[in-house]
Amino acid sequence: KVLRHDDPWWSTHYPPSGFGCRCFVETLAERDIERLGITPTTGAAMPFNRTIEQVNKRTGEIITLPQGVDKGWDYAPGAGVDTALRDLVARKLIGYPPAIAKALSVGLNRWVDATTPVVAFVEKVLATNSPADPLWLGFVENFTTLQENTGLELRGYLVLLPEQAPRHARKHHQWDGGDQREIVPADYAHITQVLSDFDTIKQGDSSRHGQATLVVQKKIGSETYRCVFEVQPGKRSRSLALVSMVIKI
């Protein structure tokens, strides 16, 4: 089944849907859907689209759950920004590679910001030079497509917005008097869209840390976003971290 990312069905059925569940989601760009001749379905046509009632044997409480989803698993990662990432990992991300799951459950909340909205995070880091933990934007979900296009295995990687990226863009990628416009905080809300539904992608030059980079472009409306991500393969913090962004009009 292929279901649009904004369909309400995902809000309760995003996998894993219980302990031991090995389901996963892979994203497809519009061009892939057209090339494969796929017609997206709707939540109403998806399996397990009803609700069921269960009785809590200890309390007698009647609980209504989405069909096929265990108690406590009926939500999507990131749907509630107030959910502590440590708790989210413990309850929801059991299906990720063991090394990532262990690193996340042990200490992820100590070194990333998992709750601040993107715009508020960017406004904060641009208003002060104080250190800030990188902002967690989610996980790399189109890892198969990325591997096919770049040869990099990125399953289980986090997508991060470090404090340095907005500061770098403000200093080096402002309006240039031509077709490059100034970047505003709201633009950073498009980062995951650029990565998951890119128009072009390629490996760039090695970063100053000697790591691989990805150069990703996506046209949104009449503007072209160009994002550079550093591939950070450390055992504790495997991630794609935004290095810079340019917007052409």
Side-chain angles (χ1 to χ4, degrees):
K1 297 287 186 179
V2 176
L3 188 65
R4 282 189 55 84
H5 68 90
D6 54 357
D7 193 286
W9 189 88
W10 291 116
S11 65
T12 53
H13 289 78
Y14 197 97
S17 298
F19 287 104
C21 176
R22 291 292 181 260
C23 299
F24 64 89
V25 173
E26 181 180 350
T27 60
L28 290 173
E30 291 288 346
R31 62 180 181 281
D32 294 325
I33 292 176
E34 294 176 359
R35 175 174 57 84
L36 296 171
I38 296 174
T39 299
T41 187
T42 63
M46 292 291 286
F48 306 110
N49 61 2
R50 298 183 293 107
T51 58
I52 60 172
E53 290 186 346
Q54 293 183 355
V55 178
N56 186 315
K57 295 180 180 180
R58 183 174 61 84
T59 66
E61 178 188 6
I62 298 177
I63 304 169
T64 301
L65 293 171
Q67 184 184 20
V69 180
D70 291 348
K71 179 183 177 182
W73 297 71
D74 53 334
Y75 67 97
V81 296
D82 293 329
T83 301
L85 190 56
R86 186 191 308 276
D87 183 57
L88 183 151
V89 170
R91 297 171 55 201
K92 190 71 176 179
L93 300 178
I94 307 302
Y96 277 85
I100 293 298
K102 181 179 180 181
L104 289 171
S105 62
V106 170
L108 187 53
N109 251 9
R110 292 200 297 265
W111 66 275
V112 302
D113 179 345
T115 60
T116 303
V118 176
V119 174
F121 174 84
V122 175
E123 290 175 342
K124 179 181 177 180
V125 299
L126 292 180
T128 175
N129 288 322
S130 300
D133 290 330
L135 183 66
W136 179 65
L137 301 177
F139 286 84
V140 174
E141 295 187 348
N142 57 333
F143 46 83
T144 301
T145 302
L146 292 178
Q147 185 172 19
E148 290 173 351
N149 284 270
T150 67
L152 296 173
E153 171 55 70
L154 300 173
R155 179 169 181 169
Y157 274 57
L158 289 73
V159 182
L160 298 180
L161 174 58
E163 59 175 306
Q164 299 93 335
R167 292 169 181 164
H168 172 87
R170 180 175 63 179
K171 183 176 181 179
H172 299 285
H173 300 304
Q174 293 290 349
W175 179 59
D176 63 356
D179 62 351
Q180 177 176 298
R181 74 162 171 84
E182 178 183 0
I183 298 174
V184 299
D187 294 323
Y188 291 89
H190 294 294
I191 293 172
T192 53
Q193 180 185 359
V194 172
L195 183 61
S196 65
D197 191 24
F198 59 83
D199 293 329
T200 65
I201 188 169
K202 65 178 181 180
Q203 284 203 50
D205 298 330
S206 296
S207 71
R208 61 188 180 89
H209 302 112
Q211 304 293 356
T213 64
L214 292 180
V215 181
V216 189
Q217 288 195 168
K218 167 69 178 175
K219 189 169 185 179
I220 300 176
S222 60
E223 301 178 326
T224 299
Y225 285 63
R226 180 181 182 272
C227 296
V228 178
F229 295 89
E230 181 182 49
V231 181
Q232 300 179 344
K235 292 181 179 180
R236 180 172 177 266
S237 55
R238 293 199 296 179
S239 59
L240 283 184
L242 184 73
V243 175
S244 68
M245 181 164 68
V246 173
I247 301 176
K248 300 286 187 177
I249 57 178

